[in-house]
Amino acid sequence: YNIPSNLKAIKRWRKLLQSIGFDEPRYGSISIATYPTGQIGFLVAHAKDNACDTPTCKSDERDGDMKWGVNWPRIESQFKQHVWKTSYYHPSLHKSSFDLPFWVEKSIYEK
């Protein structure tokens, strides 16, 4: 994994998100040629189902092919419905940004 990332910090930030009420935070990485290191890393999470009762953090749309709490068929459907003209983004790029080398997965997610 030659991308400059601090795996210990990623693991610590992930645990912090879990401790404050986020469910299954996932680390992703995308390549951006114009970014100084060529890569942007990020954590994505959603509020736990019992975290609050307001509509802003509750969703009944968490169904279908739910890898890590994301409704991928819905994302793909929305992308196809819109006439967005993009030369970069597409749903499979979105999904693959969470595919990390096995030893990185192990380092971040193993307890």
Side-chain angles (χ1 to χ4, degrees), residues 6-99:
N6 183 335
L7 296 179
K8 288 181 183 176
I10 292 167
K11 192 171 187 171
R12 189 172 61 247
W13 296 330
R14 182 174 183 272
K15 286 182 180 183
L16 175 68
L17 286 171
Q18 289 173 314
S19 74
I20 61 173
F22 288 95
D23 197 19
E24 290 303 312
R26 296 297 300 183
Y27 178 76
S29 174
I30 56 173
S31 298
I32 303 290
T34 57
Y35 196 69
T37 63
Q39 176 264 351
I40 297 175
F42 52 89
L43 284 159
V44 176
H46 59 81
K48 291 182 181 177
D49 285 337
N50 61 355
C52 71
D53 292 327
T54 65
T56 56
C57 67
K58 283 247 180 229
S59 174
D60 294 331
E61 297 175 4
R62 290 191 201 162
D63 56 0
D65 177 19
M66 295 276 298
K67 187 173 184 180
W68 307 308
V70 177
N71 188 330
W72 296 111
R74 181 172 179 248
I75 289 173
E76 290 168 1
S77 172
Q78 286 178 331
F79 183 75
K80 289 175 185 173
Q81 286 176 10
H82 296 284
V83 288
W84 297 328
K85 297 194 188 294
T86 175
S87 61
Y88 188 82
Y89 177 83
H90 55 88
S92 55
L93 176 69
H94 184 151
K95 195 172 188 177
S96 69
S97 66
F98 296 95
D99 293 335

